[in-house]
Amino acid sequence: MQFEPRDQFEQRQKKLEQIKALGLDPFPREFRWTDTPAMLADQYKDAASADLEANKREVRVAGRIVSYRLMGKAGFAHLQGSGRRIQIYVRKDAVGDRSFELFHLLDLGDSVGVRGHMFRTKTNELSVWVEELALLSKALLPLPEKWHGLTDVELRYRQRYLDLIANDKSREVFVTRARIVQELRRFFEARGYIEVETPMMHPIAGGAAARPFVTHHNTLDIDLYLRIAPELYLKRLTVGGFDRVYEINRNFRNEGISTQHNPEFTMLEFYQAYTDYQGLMDFTVELLKQTAIDATGSTVVEYQGSKLDFANIRRVSMQEAVGDSTLRGHELVEAFERKVEPTLFEPTIVYDYPVEVSPLSKHKRDDPAFVERFEIYVAGMEIGNAYTELNDPKEQCRRFEMQLALMAAGDEEAHQMDEDYLRAMSYGMPPTGGEGIGIDRLTMILTNSKSIRDVILFPLLRPEGEIGIAEKLRGCDV
C-alpha cells in the first residue's frame, strides 16, 4: 500500500511553512464552537433568506474541508462534521488580508473553525458568512481522489479514519452500532438487570468451546488466558445473589478470520435466575424484535437483498430441522451444520442440542441424551446461544471430566476443569437461564453489512509492509 505521490506531501508541507510565516499556529489547542455542521443544517433548513438577514445570530462552527472553490477576492468551501456538511463563504473584505491569505493556503482535508452568521446564497444554499477564519489542523496527506467513497476494501479496514471521512454509509453503520448497544442497555435495565464487569484474563480457559490466546504474568509467574467467554464468572454472581445480571464484553478466540469471524469480538451475555430455556426463548423474541425497531425503525429488516422479519421468529428442534429423529450426538450436530445451518435465513430458534456438545447445559427432563439449549440463526449465521444452566455440582464435575478426556485425545477447544466454579456451585446455584448474543453479527444484519469487518472499527488484519510516512515526517520540520 502506498501513500499519495511525494510531491503532494511536499506541496502541503510548503503551505504549512507559509502559514507559520503568517504568524499562525497550524495546530492550535482549541476552538470554542457553538454549533456543528449538522446542528446548523437542521436548525436553519427551513429559514428564509429574509429571516436570516433580519435575525443575525453569531455562530461558531468547526469541521473538515471537503470542497473548496476560490473566486478572486472571495471563495466557498464545505465543512464536514458530525456526518453533515455546511457551506462557508469567505470574503477578503470581511476576514482581512491575513485570514484571506490563509484561505488561499488551505487544502481539502484541513480542519478549520469559523465565526460568522447564517445566510442564503443566490442559489439558496444555506451558508455561513465568515467574519473570522482559523486553521485548526493542517492535513499533510490528501484525502482520496474520490473522497466521497473509498472502493479499496483493504484500505477501508486498514485506514478506518479515511473510511469514516469518505463514506457516509460507513459512519452511519457505527452510529447505528452505538445506538444498538445503548438501547440494549436500556432494555435490560428496564427489566431489573445489573450491568457488571468480569475479568478479561483468566487462570483457566472456560465458558465456551474455543482455542484461547495465552499470555504470561511475570510477577505471579503464571500463564493466563484472554477471555473466551465470561460465562463462569457471571454464573458465580448468580450464586452470590445477582438474580439478573448482564455484561457487554470483549472476547478473544485464537481462531480463523472470515466475513463472520474476528479473533476479538463483542458479546452481550446475560443470566436470569429462576427461569429456563423456554423462558429465555420468549425473552429473546422480545429482545430481538425491540432491537430491530431501535436500530431500523421496523421489525422488517433488509439484508443482502432479502427481507427478515424479527416479529416472526420460527422455533424448531434440531432433530426436526435435520429431519431425522434417529441421529444423535456429534452425528446430529454435523448433519445440522452441513445441511441446515446455511439455509436458516429467516430468524430461527433451534432448540434441544446433544449433551456431547453442551457441557454446561441441563439435561432435558424426558431425554438425557439432549440438553435444554437453543441457538439463534439469522441469514445463515449463529447470532446467539442459550440454555438452562446446569446447577448440579456433581453433574458439572462429571461433565468437566468428560471434557478432560476430550482434551487428552487432542481436542484443543475442550473445557478445562474449574475447581473454583465447582466450589461456587456447591454453595447452591439457583435455577438459571443464560444467553450470549454476538453484537458484531447482530449489527451486521441490522445495518445490511456483508462482512463482520464492516462493523468493527479496527478489525484484525495481516501485517502490511512499511508505508513510509515516518520517513516523510522525519525529513521535514513539522
Side-chain angles (χ1 to χ4, degrees), residues 460-475:
L460 185 65
L461 300 168
R462 292 184 183 277
E464 62 177 347
E466 174 60 48
I467 56 178
I469 185 63
E471 180 182 351
K472 291 181 178 181
L473 293 173
R474 289 191 202 103

Side-chain angles (χ1 to χ4, degrees), residues 196 198 207-208 230-242 245 247 269-272 359-362 387-391 396 400 415 421 424-425 428-430 432-435:
V196 297
T198 60
E231 176 170 345
L232 300 185
Y233 284 92
L234 291 173
K235 289 195 287 193
R236 284 171 169 88
L237 296 179
T238 66
V239 173
F242 279 22
V245 63
E247 183 174 9
E269 194 143 332
F270 58 95
Y271 291 83
Q272 180 175 327
L360 301 171
S361 310
K362 206 172 185 69
Y387 37 84
T388 307
E389 301 296 338
L390 180 59
N391 62 343
Q396 183 65 77
F400 277 147
H415 289 252
Y421 177 63
M425 290 184 69
M429 177 178 168
T432 300
E435 184 168 343

